[in-house]
Amino acid sequence: MYFIGIDAGTTNCKICLFTLHDFSLISKYSFVTPKINFGDTSDFDVEKLWDGIMTGMRETVKAAGDPAEIKHIAVASVGEAGVLTDAEGHIKGPVMTWYDTRTKEISEAVIKKTGRQKIYNITGLPAHSNYSLNKILWLKENIKEYPENGKWLCMAEYIAYKFTGIRKAEFSLASRTMALDIKNKKWSEDILKDVQLERGLFSEPAESGKITGTVSRETAQAAGMSETTTVSTAGHDHMCGSVAAGLYDEDGILNSTGTTEGLLFLKKEPGLNDDFFKFNFSNGIHVLKDFYTIYSSLPSAGYSVEWYKKKFDVSDEEFNRITEKLYEKTMQKEYEPKADGIFIPHLRGSGPPRRSIESKALFYGITERTTKEELLLIIFQGLCFELKNLLNSIEELTEHKFAEIKVIGAACKNKLWLKLKADILGRDIAVYEIDEAVSKGAAILGAYKNGYIKDFKIAEKSGDIRKVTPDKKASEYYNKIFTTLYKPFYDFKANIENKA
């Protein structure tokens, strides 16, 4: 008996086949998420994306042997991005990436009309151009054939629709649209009235992992699948990954790493008071029933590394060699921690506590003698300082210090990044070395929500967790650098940008 988890991410899309009981990975098909880039604009090419998924499904069915043994497919994806369809399911307009900036003016108009405080009080989100509502309004203003009876589907919801022919929304993704009344878990009539959008644009939100439908005959025949296989939307990728990493209650915090990087923790009630609003923390509905999420995303994490590799023509092999050399150096007994420069990684704007799409990256301390190796170390240190700044804000607000940070994603494969996280944050790092955590979390949710398993706490029973502990001397040094250099530059830059 098998379960499939699909992770439609910003950089790559993965289709993973897992066995029942221990959810070990049997096969994986991965391809680069297709995009259409033109100037400063960036769209997902969803038609090519679906073609890639179908190719991957054919390979995955072969790996399973018997198509009928694939019981369920659960789909996770990036948040904010989505597809506008007409009544017949045809795509209308571009499918903007979550980070595309065309919606900036629309967002400013919505904020002027509704007000940041009202938006936050209802949706739990700090108003921002990334959210789906602004993308829909942009499409309404800019495409010739805006559909009268159109439907908006977030990315994973659209993929589930392509499998089944049935449109359903899902709560964790719905709570990233800036149109959901998060407290009452329903679409906000008030917000929709303010922006003059029809309520029928959105499907009723359903619980993560609950069955959308079975694979349609057309799709089953095209991929060699069984028509008895059920499909669900698992939800927002970071939220699905948290299940695989053992984030089940209010005591833990998760650092999910990839193109972006975020900190996620759970609460029984959303944080809608003025303090949460001040820090720009995003509330959401978790994929596990009865929990809300507080999620804070930093737009440039793995993206900063990719930027470095492209700008300095560093191959994967050279990058691995440099990081391994730097790691070995930091592990030597006589090593003295050193920060030769400061990097504030706002290549795609900034995240909380001062969130701004206009924020720019900053380098300080770079000289003509700075080497590629030294620059990469500065970049990784900068990512960790930025994460420390966010963690400090969370702990200040919640009055709770997290002794351990759970980590999933790209950082788990980079020993240097993990070492710097531990030293700069001054915390134990629990590294969840899970093959495809988002896909695995999605598959577990699909199996659990539909009665195939009774216990979803698979991660706690696996041996795929290791600890990285901070070096006291290094932590003291980095804390001094954070206080005397990083924070002053961060605050100075933010103040300048606010006046610009």
Side-chain angles (χ1 to χ4, degrees):
M1 193 178 294
Y2 301 107
F3 295 84
I4 291 175
I6 296 177
D7 172 15
T10 305
T11 306
N12 295 294
C13 184
K14 289 148 280 191
I15 299 142
C16 299
L17 182 71
F18 299 93
T19 60
L20 187 62
H21 305 307
D22 66 351
F23 282 80
S24 56
L25 182 63
I26 301 301
S27 75
K28 177 178 79 171
Y29 182 89
S30 178
F31 62 95
V32 174
T33 303
K35 299 185 190 72
I36 303 167
N37 297 311
F38 183 78
D40 293 332
T41 69
S42 180
D43 301 325
F44 288 115
D45 190 334
V46 291
E47 292 182 351
K48 287 186 178 179
L49 175 69
W50 178 246
D51 288 343
I53 289 172
M54 288 298 287
T55 300
M57 287 303 304
R58 286 189 283 270
E59 293 298 316
T60 304
V61 170
K62 288 179 185 176
D66 182 357
E69 284 298 299
I70 300 175
K71 299 302 179 183
H72 188 79
I73 301 166
V75 189
S77 76
V78 295
E80 294 89 58
V83 184
L84 180 65
T85 66
D86 63 16
E88 287 73 42
H90 301 125
I91 300 168
K92 294 297 178 180
V95 180
M96 286 177 272
T97 57
W98 58 267
Y99 53 84
D100 189 272
T101 59
R102 274 170 284 180
T103 52
K104 180 189 169 187
E105 290 183 3
I106 293 284
S107 176
E108 290 171 352
V110 172
I111 291 167
K112 185 176 180 180
K113 170 74 174 176
T114 302
R116 291 182 183 276
Q117 186 76 60
K118 179 180 174 181
I119 291 169
Y120 196 83
N121 289 345
I122 293 173
T123 70
L125 295 174
H128 196 279
S129 61
N130 285 355
Y131 294 122
S132 308
L133 183 74
N134 302 298
K135 300 183 190 305
I136 297 166
L137 293 170
W138 188 94
L139 291 168
K140 190 175 182 180
E141 285 192 8
N142 288 278
I143 63 174
K144 291 181 179 179
E145 298 179 358
Y146 182 83
E148 289 290 329
N149 298 309
K151 284 286 187 183
W152 175 263
L153 293 168
C154 294
M155 187 67 73
E157 298 164 355
Y158 177 75
I159 295 169
Y161 161 69
K162 289 290 288 182
F163 272 112
T164 65
I166 299 170
R167 296 179 179 93
K168 283 187 180 179
E170 182 276 331
F171 276 118
S172 71
L173 290 169
S175 63
R176 303 293 291 180
T177 61
M178 211 172 84
L180 190 78
D181 179 339
I182 193 167
K183 186 81 173 176
N184 296 304
K185 296 185 177 181
K186 64 180 183 180
W187 298 111
S188 171
E189 300 288 351
D190 206 2
I191 296 288
L192 295 179
K193 182 180 178 182
D194 279 354
V195 299
Q196 298 181 316
L197 286 178
E198 295 295 324
R199 165 66 184 80
L201 183 67
F202 300 97
S203 303
E204 284 300 323
E207 188 180 336
S208 164
K210 288 291 187 180
I211 292 173
T212 297
T214 57
V215 176
S216 68
R217 177 169 297 177
E218 178 184 0
T219 302
Q221 290 176 348
M225 299 171 63
S226 168
E227 292 178 47
T228 63
T229 300
T230 53
V231 180
S232 70
T233 300
H236 190 287
D237 49 8
H238 292 293
M239 315 309 172
C240 292
S242 74
V243 174
L247 190 68
Y248 311 134
D249 53 42
E250 296 176 271
D251 293 330
I253 190 166
L254 176 73
N255 174 214
S256 181
T257 65
T259 305
T260 64
E261 177 172 31
L263 287 174
L264 171 71
F265 61 100
L266 307 183
K267 286 176 65 67
K268 286 289 187 180
E269 295 292 333
L272 303 178
N273 63 36
D274 289 344
D275 289 333
F276 281 87
F277 175 66
K278 170 189 169 187
F279 280 111
N280 288 301
F281 290 151
S282 298
N283 290 269
I285 297 172
H286 193 36
V287 292
L288 294 176
K289 194 176 180 181
D290 300 328
F291 279 112
Y292 287 90
T293 60
I294 307 295
Y295 178 63
S296 304
S297 178
L298 304 175
S300 298
Y303 178 73
S304 295
V305 176
E306 291 304 312
W307 173 86
Y308 164 85
K309 289 162 70 175
K310 288 179 182 178
K311 289 295 180 184
F312 297 97
D313 195 26
V314 175
S315 66
D316 289 341
E317 291 75 19
E318 184 181 5
F319 173 78
N320 291 335
R321 179 184 60 77
I322 293 172
T323 53
E324 184 64 29
K325 181 180 177 181
L326 287 169
Y327 174 73
E328 289 176 356
K329 185 177 179 180
T330 65
M331 294 301 290
Q332 293 172 3
K333 287 184 179 181
E334 65 275 15
Y335 176 70
E336 293 287 335
K338 187 178 181 182
D340 288 318
I342 291 295
F343 172 54
I344 298 180
H346 296 176
L347 296 170
R348 283 179 170 167
S350 61
R354 295 189 181 185
R355 193 177 187 192
S356 172
I357 196 172
E358 299 295 339
S359 186
K360 302 298 188 290
L362 180 147
F363 278 101
Y364 168 77
I366 310 303
T367 74
E368 61 182 336
R369 295 181 297 277
T370 302
T371 66
K372 283 194 295 187
E373 290 80 3
E374 290 168 340
L375 186 62
L376 182 58
L377 181 60
I378 290 168
I379 286 173
F380 275 122
Q381 288 170 338
L383 293 177
C384 295
F385 283 133
E386 184 84 347
L387 189 65
K388 181 181 179 73
N389 193 34
L390 177 57
L391 180 62
N392 286 355
S393 299
I394 290 171
E395 294 184 333
E396 177 186 338
L397 179 59
T398 61
E399 297 182 344
H400 175 75
K401 184 171 182 177
F402 296 95
E404 176 185 276
I405 312 296
K406 299 173 185 286
V407 178
I408 60 170
C412 294
K413 298 177 181 178
N414 190 309
K415 292 184 288 186
L416 174 66
W417 197 357
L418 292 170
K419 166 68 173 166
L420 290 170
K421 277 182 188 288
D423 289 345
I424 292 175
L425 297 180
R427 312 297 167 86
D428 288 343
I429 301 297
V431 185
Y432 283 73
E433 295 180 297
I434 303 167
D435 283 333
E436 303 303 337
V438 172
S439 295
K440 185 171 184 175
I444 290 169
L445 282 164
Y448 174 69
K449 296 289 184 73
N450 295 295
Y452 289 99
I453 58 174
K454 294 182 179 180
D455 183 5
F456 57 82
K457 298 182 179 181
I458 305 295
E460 292 180 352
K461 299 174 181 177
S462 72
D464 300 327
I465 307 167
R466 63 185 176 90
K467 294 288 181 74
V468 179
T469 58
D471 177 82
K472 185 178 179 182
K473 182 179 178 181
S475 291
E476 290 174 351
Y477 169 78
Y478 283 126
N479 194 53
K480 181 180 178 181
I481 295 297
F482 176 80
T483 303
T484 60
L485 284 177
Y486 192 87
K487 273 294 287 176
F489 273 115
Y490 182 95
D491 294 336
F492 170 76
K493 186 177 79 71
N495 289 333
I496 291 294
E497 289 171 342
N498 286 341
K499 293 174 183 178

